[in-house]
Amino acid sequence: MRELFVVALSSDGRHVVLTSKKGSPRGSYLLRVGPRLQRALNGELNDDGSKAAPPPPAESALTPKEIQARLRAGHPPEKVARAAGVPVERITRFYGPVLSERAQVIDAARQAVLVRARKGPSAASLGDSVSANLAAKGVSPGDEERWSAHRREDGSWLVSIAVTARGRERSAEWVWLPASRELKAVDAYALALGSVDSPLSRRRRSSPASR
């Protein structure tokens, strides 16, 4: 089999000019640049001209456990996919279970009672307290409040809520320890928003919030 060497691309851009003499500035052969040549250059054809098998899927730089940990920590799938060096579709299959776990954590934290250092336990659960306090400020629960959660390196969860009140964005955060079912306010705003002094009437108790 005789070897040919590339000289240039033809003026019409449809052929490759080839020569049998390496380094020659003039060519003696024209090779049409068609779909079959493109497939061959892309490695999509075998030596016998048959269609090559697709390349094996790229190896992930992250283990499934590391992928889940990053998703639990709040990293978006696109960012995790870049870190793993794989298509985002390889990451999204892990995302559903993580979202379900987050929802369970939020529900558990909302049902827990915040204990205050001087006043003792709140008279209502976190979820009911937040809804009542927001209603007192003229903010209706639902679309105006957004709950989220992500897992921290020590195994605890940071449960937070973003509130839009009077055109201003605010957020409150609580640390939730599932093993001990302990709830802690991160700051004074979270402490005030997540607790009430008196029991709430049935009408003022919260309905499940959107996440």
Side-chain angles (χ1 to χ4, degrees):
M1 186 177 295
R2 191 172 183 181
E3 184 177 7
L4 299 177
F5 303 93
V6 176
V7 175
L9 189 66
S10 64
S11 58
D12 62 5
R14 298 179 180 179
H15 298 80
V16 176
V17 181
L18 305 173
T19 181
S20 59
K21 296 182 180 180
K22 187 176 182 179
S24 174
R26 300 183 63 181
S28 304
Y29 304 91
L30 287 177
L31 177 62
R32 183 174 178 81
V33 181
R36 190 172 180 82
L37 176 60
Q38 290 288 354
R39 289 197 298 270
L41 294 175
N42 292 337
E44 298 173 6
L45 293 180
N46 294 319
D47 292 341
D48 59 1
S50 61
K51 188 175 181 180
E59 290 293 330
S60 173
L62 301 174
T63 65
K65 185 176 180 179
E66 291 171 331
I67 291 172
Q68 290 175 329
R70 295 197 181 201
L71 292 173
R72 287 192 185 102
H75 296 191
E78 294 78 11
K79 182 177 180 180
V80 178
R82 287 195 297 270
V86 297
V88 69
E89 292 77 12
R90 294 270 299 276
I91 303 300
T92 52
R93 64 191 180 96
F94 295 97
Y95 202 40
V98 171
L99 290 176
S100 178
E101 185 179 14
R102 281 189 194 172
Q104 293 175 6
V105 166
I106 292 172
D107 285 340
R110 281 169 50 85
Q111 294 170 19
V113 173
L114 188 63
V115 178
R116 300 163 293 184
R118 296 181 180 180
K119 295 183 178 181
S122 168
S125 67
L126 175 67
D128 289 338
S129 297
V130 168
S131 291
N133 285 318
L134 288 178
K137 298 177 182 296
V139 180
S140 60
D143 293 339
E144 296 300 318
E145 58 181 69
R146 301 176 297 276
W147 291 88
S148 63
H150 67 265
R151 190 176 183 181
R152 307 196 304 179
E153 293 183 358
D154 61 1
S156 65
W157 287 80
L158 193 67
V159 177
S160 61
I161 183 173
V163 181
T164 304
R166 298 177 182 176
R168 180 186 176 190
E169 289 284 345
R170 297 202 64 177
S171 63
E173 297 177 331
W174 301 268
V175 175
W176 170 242
L177 305 172
S180 60
R181 300 191 63 81
E182 185 178 359
L183 188 67
K184 300 179 180 179
V186 172
D187 54 30
Y189 180 63
L191 183 64
L193 191 63
S195 61
V196 291
D197 295 330
S198 304
L200 302 174
S201 64
R202 185 179 300 273
R203 181 180 300 178
R204 293 176 62 191
R205 291 180 182 174
S206 65
S207 59
S210 60
R211 296 177 183 84

